[in-house]
Each structure stands twice: as structure tokens, then as C-alpha cells.
Amino acid sequence: MGRLFGTDGARGVAITELTCETAMNIGRAAATVLTRHKTSEGRAKILIGKDTRISSDVLEAALIAGITSVGVDAELLGVVPTPTVAYLVKLHQADAGVMISASHNPVEDNGIKLFADTGYKLPDEIENEIEELILDCPEKIQLKNGCEIGRVSTIRNAVEEYNSHLASTAECSFSGIKVAIDCANGSASATAETLFSKLGANCTMLYNSPDGCNINDSCGSTHIESLRTFVKEHRCDLGIAFDGDADRCIAVDENGNIVDGDKLIAIISDHMRSKGTLKKDTAVVTVMSNLGFHTYMKNNHINTVCTAVGDRYVLEEMLKCGYNIGGEQSGHIIFLDHATTGDGQLTAVQLLNLLAATKKPLSELVSGIPDFPQLLMNVKITEDKKGKWDKTPSILSAIKEAEDALGENGRVLVRESGTEPLVRVMIEGKNADEVKYWTEKIVEKVEEELCGQ
């Protein structure tokens, strides 16, 4: 990826890595590039949303300064989920959208995600153009003065507009469904309770009191243990967990068992197929999807297409071939009939549609999906070792040894994160002990080679 932008925008430790100066420059360059072909009447405008991190207000101020300094208006959405920005960009006919969030990352991180006027995330070539303007030829950015400076305003009904859109995808009332909802002390804290209560669900809200520092702190879709316990102890029908910017959703069945993105895609795709709404009887997933998922899909006459890891690659395949559902095991799921990006709350609405229609418990709906033992371990590496794992002989030798040992009964996937300094090692097979052994062996080699000087 580029020098500023990774697989999901620009991201880093807020203020010290993702600095105010960088945010201001991204605002200037993005506004310059994304509004240059404006043909409609009126001033160019860019919408800005943010999550609940303490640094989001600071970076928002820097972005506003950058955007308005080149004569583009900034319209503020406040704290909203990332997909809210994508939806409202089109609804308000804005020239672009910006979301300030580091998604599921800890509070010290933050990020800047950019959306085109179509509501889709920017393609690589446009991000590269913005990067080049910032890093190589900033003199081409033309600053304004006087009354040509952009104005700042607030869209005060942003949450209501977005929630109305999500509610329109509900097929019936969710009355009688008892659900615990973990908002990760993030963006969903501003939207989820109103949305799901309006749809009739009996909601208990968890981790929906953000204080600027508690986002994703032992809660949300990446820390689901307390939700599992709550669902069992309070006899809920299910639990739902979002991440910090609510573009992901992971569920918990009534017994406290995790229902990940693979299983959500599987059962919702099957429901869509039964209604005749699953385009080309196909779902798009990534190479991380469990072998058990593929077995279930094949048994239910649903085709699967695999892409590289990352929602941008899933979306690219969906748009290219005309598919309408796709996503990742992590719970980032795209419903292209209703949204231009992954949306955790939209996923939850579609799941509740399924529960209401079938009157079956979630555990029964996923019971036909086999689970192949799968272990994912993350190794934090030093900055200077980025991009070197697949050029290191000892690591490659360990991977080859594991692949030979597992044979056709398993698979090995090693990749570097596009958003964090991590190497991810995932192994899947029929024997849990064997999976654990080979995962730890590869991790040990990565630690030896990439974690020190």
C-alpha cells in the first residue's frame, strides 16, 4: 500500500504518528482532489463523522482546517458509525465523506477513512493521488482567503436519517426477541438503542457509555467474553457486538456460543436464497473463511467466491460480478442492496429478520455449519521489519513444513496486517492439537526474526 494509506485509510497512534498536521494535509489534499470535477451548482462540501475516541475531536478540528482552507465546506455529522458517512454522502449529494476512526483498534490509535461522492471507499489510484499531492507536490494545493474560505456547519439529524434507512430494511417487527447489544463504547452508542427499540426488540444495552478513553476496552466484537456471559445469565435470545465504528457485527447465540461473520453470511445467504433475493446464488468471502463454512455453503447449493483479506477486495468482486452479499469472518459484512460498505447494525437487522421469520433459535440456525479447528495468532513486529516476513528463509521454511504436515486436511495462511504492525498466522485443520502446534511453531519463527533488532 501507499505511504500514508493502508488497506483501510490512514491509521496510526493519534497525535504522535497520525498527527494534526497530517490530518490537516489529508483534508486539504482530499478536498482538492475529490472536488476538482464538481459540475453541480453551489459550493463543494465534505461530510465528516467520527467515533468516540478522545483524539477524534482533535483530528476533526485539523481536518476542518484543511478542508475549509482550500475553499470547501465541511458539514459535521458528530459521533456516528462509519456506514452513516457512506450513506449520507449520497443522500446529501456531498462531494466526499470522511470518517475519523481506528475501528476495533485501542483508544490510542485513530484513523481517517475517505469516501467518494458515490458512498464507496476510494480506489487505490485516488488515494495514491492524494498521497502524492501531500508528500511530493504540496505546492499544487491552492489555499483560499477572504470569503472564499469554506464554511463549517452541522447536520443535526444525521442519526435519525441513518436509522430510518436501516429500519426500512426490517421485514417485520422484532417484538418478542430479547437481545443484548454491546456497543463497544463506540459509535453505535449514538444509534443502536434508538434503532433496535424502534423495531420492537427487547434490548439491553451494554458498553454504551463512552468517555473518550473506553472504546473497545474489554468490550465489542473483539472482546466478546462478557457479552457471552450476559446472554446466558439473563436468558437472552441472542447477543450482538459491534466494533468501535460499528461497521462490524459478531453475534452470540442463546447458549453463549460465538456466531462469527462466516456463520452470519452463511445463514443470511441461505435465507436470501430461499426468498430468491441472493443474486447468482453466490456469496463473496475472503481466504480467511473456515472450511466448515464452505462445506455448509456447498451443501446448501450456494456458490462462494474467495478474495484476498480486506473488505475492499470483497466489495471489488461484488461490484465486478453483480453479487449482493459478501464479507469477512471478522463480521465486516456488505449488503450491496442496501449499503456501499460494511455495516454492523445493518447486519444485525438482517439477522433479526431471519430470527423473526423462522421463529428458530440462533443455535439451531447455525447448527448445520461445521467448525474446523482454526487458530489465529498475531505477532507484533517492529516498524523496520514490515514487509519482510515473506522474504525470510526461516519463516518460509516453517510455513512449508506446516503445509506438508497438514496436507489436504488443512491450510496455512500467513499475512501482514494492512492497518497495524502485525503478522497474522492462521492455521486450520481437522486436529486441534496439530493446528496449535504448527501455529505456535511459525509464530516462534516470526518472533525470532521480526520482533527484535
Side-chain angles (χ1 to χ4, degrees):
M1 300 303 294
R3 294 164 287 174
L4 285 177
F5 295 105
T7 55
D8 197 17
R11 191 174 295 189
V13 177
I15 311 306
T16 58
E17 290 180 0
L18 182 59
T19 65
C20 297
E21 291 80 7
T22 298
M24 183 176 67
N25 288 332
I26 289 175
R28 283 177 172 169
T32 298
V33 171
L34 298 176
T35 66
R36 66 187 172 190
H37 298 308
K38 180 178 175 61
T39 57
S40 59
E41 295 182 2
R43 298 175 65 95
K45 62 182 179 182
I46 293 178
L47 308 188
I48 305 177
K50 60 186 175 182
D51 70 14
T52 59
R53 294 165 208 270
I54 191 171
S55 60
S56 291
D57 289 344
V58 180
L59 295 177
E60 179 188 54
L63 279 163
I64 291 170
I67 291 167
T68 56
S69 70
V70 294
V72 176
D73 291 349
E75 297 193 353
L76 310 184
L77 305 178
V79 172
V80 293
T82 289
T84 308
V85 178
Y87 174 70
L88 292 182
V89 162
K90 288 188 69 177
L91 184 68
H92 287 262
Q93 298 181 315
D95 297 275
V98 183
M99 180 65 185
I100 306 165
S101 177
S103 191
H104 59 284
N105 285 23
V107 66
E108 58 264 26
D109 292 345
N110 217 325
I112 296 173
K113 305 178 186 183
L114 300 173
F115 293 89
D117 58 357
T118 58
Y120 292 107
K121 291 179 182 177
L122 300 185
D124 289 348
E125 58 269 22
I126 301 299
E127 285 190 345
N128 291 338
E129 189 175 352
I130 293 170
E131 281 192 356
E132 290 173 7
L133 197 57
I134 295 169
L135 301 176
D136 300 330
C137 44
E139 70 280 357
K140 292 184 179 180
I141 296 175
Q142 297 181 356
L143 301 182
K144 304 295 183 180
N145 57 32
C147 292
E148 291 185 343
I149 294 171
R151 299 175 183 272
V152 184
S153 60
T154 300
I155 298 177
R156 301 194 181 280
N157 61 340
V159 168
E160 290 78 6
E161 290 180 327
Y162 169 66
N163 274 356
S164 293
H165 167 61
L166 295 187
S168 72
T169 72
E171 297 169 358
C172 59
S173 170
F174 298 150
S175 176
I177 299 178
K178 185 177 181 182
V179 56
I181 301 176
D182 178 348
C183 295
N185 290 316
S187 293
S189 303
T191 55
E193 184 170 13
T194 301
L195 171 65
F196 292 100
S197 297
K198 176 182 178 180
L199 293 174
N202 178 3
C203 302
T204 300
M205 308 305 298
L206 307 174
Y207 302 105
N208 67 329
S209 300
D211 63 8
C213 294
N214 59 2
I215 188 171
N216 298 320
D217 185 8
S218 300
C219 58
S221 62
T222 52
H223 303 281
I224 206 165
E225 297 77 16
S226 60
L227 178 63
R228 298 176 67 184
T229 300
F230 187 93
V231 167
K232 287 190 294 183
E233 289 182 350
H234 293 82
R235 298 185 178 182
C236 298
D237 295 308
L238 75 160
I240 293 169
F242 303 116
D243 64 340
D245 67 338
D247 65 352
R248 299 186 187 192
C249 171
I250 295 292
V252 171
D253 72 15
E254 73 280 8
N255 300 315
N257 298 313
I258 296 174
V259 180
D260 64 14
D262 278 351
K263 293 182 178 180
L264 292 173
I265 292 169
I267 60 176
I268 295 173
S269 295
D270 193 32
H271 182 56
M272 292 170 65
R273 185 187 62 82
S274 70
K275 297 189 300 176
T277 60
L278 181 63
K279 292 181 179 178
K280 301 185 180 181
D281 287 341
T282 299
V284 182
V285 292
T286 77
V287 293
M288 292 291 288
S289 286
N290 193 280
L291 292 173
F293 163 85
H294 291 286
T295 299
Y296 174 88
M297 299 295 267
K298 183 177 180 180
N299 291 341
N300 286 273
H301 311 290
I302 302 173
N303 305 311
T304 55
V305 175
C306 286
T307 74
V309 176
D311 65 282
R312 64 166 57 208
Y313 305 112
V314 172
L315 177 60
E316 183 180 280
E317 186 69 21
M318 294 173 70
L319 291 170
K320 182 175 73 175
C321 299
Y323 306 129
N324 61 344
I325 184 172
E328 300 182 279
Q329 191 182 63
S330 61
H332 194 283
I333 303 175
I334 304 168
F335 293 90
L336 210 49
D337 292 336
H338 306 298
T340 56
T341 190
D343 190 328
Q345 290 176 112
L346 177 58
T347 299
V349 171
Q350 303 314 302
L351 176 60
L352 291 173
N353 277 339
L354 175 55
L355 292 176
T358 62
K359 311 282 187 203
K360 293 180 180 179
L362 184 53
S363 62
E364 182 179 341
L365 291 171
V366 300
S367 62
I369 307 174
D371 269 322
F372 280 60
Q374 187 183 78
L375 181 60
L376 171 65
M377 297 182 71
N378 296 322
V379 186
K380 190 164 187 177
I381 63 174
T382 56
E383 289 288 330
D384 63 308
K385 299 296 175 62
K386 283 184 177 181
K388 295 183 178 180
W389 74 266
D390 57 351
K391 302 175 185 66
T392 305
S394 63
I395 296 174
L396 297 177
S397 177
I399 293 171
K400 179 67 164 57
E401 193 178 357
E403 289 173 337
D404 291 343
L406 293 167
E408 295 181 356
N409 294 319
R411 63 186 179 123
V412 179
L413 180 63
V414 181
R415 68 181 185 91
E416 191 169 306
S417 170
T419 59
E420 303 172 82
L422 299 174
V423 169
R424 306 189 193 278
V425 180
M426 190 277 285
I427 294 186
E428 190 173 66
K430 290 187 175 180
N431 183 286
D433 290 337
E434 193 175 20
V435 166
K436 183 174 184 290
Y437 172 79
W438 288 111
T439 305
E440 290 178 345
K441 186 164 185 176
I442 295 173
V443 165
E444 181 181 344
K445 288 298 178 184
V446 174
E447 288 174 338
E448 287 177 4
E449 300 289 352
L450 305 181
C451 296
Q453 297 300 319

